[in-house]
Amino acid sequence: MSERVTVYEVGPRDGLQNEPSLVATGDKIALIDLLSDTGLTRIEATSFVSPKWVPRMADAAAVMAGIRRAPGVRYAALTPNLKGFEAAKAAGADEVAIFASASEGFSRQNINCTIAESLERFAPVAAAALDAGLHLRGYVSCVVECPYEGAVAPEAVASVTDALLGMGCYEVSLGDTIGRGTPEAIDRLLARLTATIEPARLAGHFHDTDGNALANVEVALGHGLRTFDSAIGGLGGCPYAPGARGNVSTVPLVQMLAAGGWEAGLDLTALRRAEAFMSDRVATAPKLVRTAP
Ligand code: HMG
Ligand code: MG
């Protein structure tokens, strides 16, 4: 029997937070509903962040209110602070994610504080989430390279990852935010992290700027990671990571996993339906063309 891998769909959040085209709230809801019929069990639907910082996520509450809740699917949202957490809880998020950075420059640009300040800010969010019985996930951005500071040391990633796990995150997703990670760099990073952290508590979140994301997934599988974030159609980027491309695209990821004998439990036809739906609605469509069959 083939071994199970979880694909964590982040397209509706990471994919659309920086999308140049204005995607209607109804279309976001329709996309999430289509994704809910693909076998995915985890979908990051939106983020409850400041609408001044990320205008594309200003409709978070309306998105959460409009989606159909499929049984067995966990709908997650990013929450940068208690204000965001309270809104996510009120909107019925099953899971919230706190998101830190391994580099000071990105932390400052993305969430307007130092790494240490961010961890102080996340501690009460984590406590409130666990208290409310919600699943709590963590992210560490810039695990390989920072758009403002260059190379990031694995030790810095380990320290922030430990802090997030210590707050009760069931898993920390490792963000190659600008997609510059080579398989060699990911190998070095994971050799360090898995020396002290169980691989089951780590996920890979590889943006695909340099076309290395699938190779990086292969490397991470070799280190025992079994959860990978992806975005339908390879949508996305971060408004505070200039030049970053989308996440690894869901359909090619699932195809690669299947070819390697991994079981993701996903319906490729249904995923392609969701991909086709989005390709008509976003300016980043050229990237979608590449993902067909
Ligand atoms: P700040 O300006 O320092 O916050 O931003 P503040 O506490 O001083 O508040 C300023 C204003 O924002 C106030 O409103 C607050 O009420 C409001 P005003 O009084 O001026 O009208 N505000 C909020 N409104 C709605 N929801 C909230 C919220 N919080 C404050 N939650 C803050 C600090 C963290 C809020 C801001 O920097 C922010 O929202 N940043 C989010 C940036 C973001 O979403 N980036 C993309 C996601 S991370 C990512 O993509 C990386 C990842 O994919 C992994 C990877 O690839 O590496 C996860
Ligand atoms: Mg990302």
Side-chain angles (χ1 to χ4, degrees):
M1 208 176 82
S2 51
E3 207 182 324
R4 187 91 189 178
V5 168
T6 300
V7 172
Y8 194 120
E9 173 63 45
V10 297
R13 191 281 302 172
D14 202 336
L16 296 181
Q17 69 186 5
N18 198 32
E19 173 52 43
S21 9
L22 187 60
V23 177
T25 305
D27 284 341
K28 293 181 183 180
I29 293 167
L31 171 66
I32 296 168
D33 287 349
L34 284 168
L35 290 169
S36 294
D37 291 334
T38 60
L40 285 161
T41 53
R42 292 154 79 189
I43 300 176
E44 198 168 71
T46 187
S47 59
F48 288 86
V49 296
S50 161
K52 288 184 193 142
W53 285 68
V54 185
R56 290 291 188 251
M57 295 285 108
D59 58 359
V63 168
M64 290 301 289
I67 58 175
R68 172 173 50 82
R69 304 296 179 109
V73 182
R74 246 148 71 182
Y75 297 92
L78 293 195
T79 53
N81 51 23
L82 276 172
K83 185 178 171 104
F85 168 73
E86 289 303 338
K89 188 173 86 165
D94 303 306
E95 169 163 327
V96 295
I98 49 180
F99 50 106
S101 168
S103 84
E104 291 291 353
F106 186 76
S107 183
R108 174 63 67 194
Q109 294 292 326
N110 194 44
I111 50 175
N112 202 24
C113 60
T114 65
I115 297 169
E117 285 163 349
S118 77
L119 296 175
E120 273 173 42
R121 191 185 285 169
F122 291 139
V125 177
L130 296 175
D131 201 42
L134 301 188
H135 300 273
L136 175 70
R137 195 176 200 228
Y139 279 102
V140 180
S141 285
C142 300
V143 297
V144 177
E145 198 175 313
C146 167
Y148 308 101
E149 289 175 7
V152 172
E155 211 46 49
V157 182
S159 147
V160 180
T161 304
D162 283 342
L164 294 176
L165 290 173
M167 285 181 206
C169 292
Y170 71 88
E171 169 179 283
V172 169
S173 179
L174 303 166
D176 178 14
T177 314
I178 55 172
R180 297 282 178 213
T182 59
E184 294 72 27
I186 296 296
D187 186 44
R188 267 194 307 278
L189 170 71
L190 294 178
R192 163 61 192 90
L193 294 184
T194 58
T196 55
I197 301 168
E198 265 182 80
R201 306 202 61 194
L202 300 170
H205 178 105
F206 303 128
H207 284 263
D208 204 16
T209 315
D210 284 350
N212 281 327
L214 287 175
N216 291 341
V217 169
E218 292 270 20
V219 169
L221 283 165
H223 281 279
L225 274 67
R226 295 290 180 267
T227 299
F228 297 98
D229 300 355
S230 66
I232 195 74
L235 288 167
C238 172
Y240 299 100
R245 294 285 296 273
N247 285 90
V248 65
S249 184
T250 305
V251 168
L253 172 64
V254 172
Q255 287 173 318
M256 187 198 84
L257 290 171
W262 302 95
E263 177 57 51
L266 298 175
D267 176 345
L268 270 173
T269 306
L271 283 172
R272 287 205 184 92
R273 206 174 296 132
E275 190 178 85
F277 173 83
M278 255 354 260
S279 74
D280 294 338
R281 286 162 178 81
V282 294
T284 44
K287 202 148 171 4
L288 296 172
V289 172
R290 198 159 70 73
T291 70

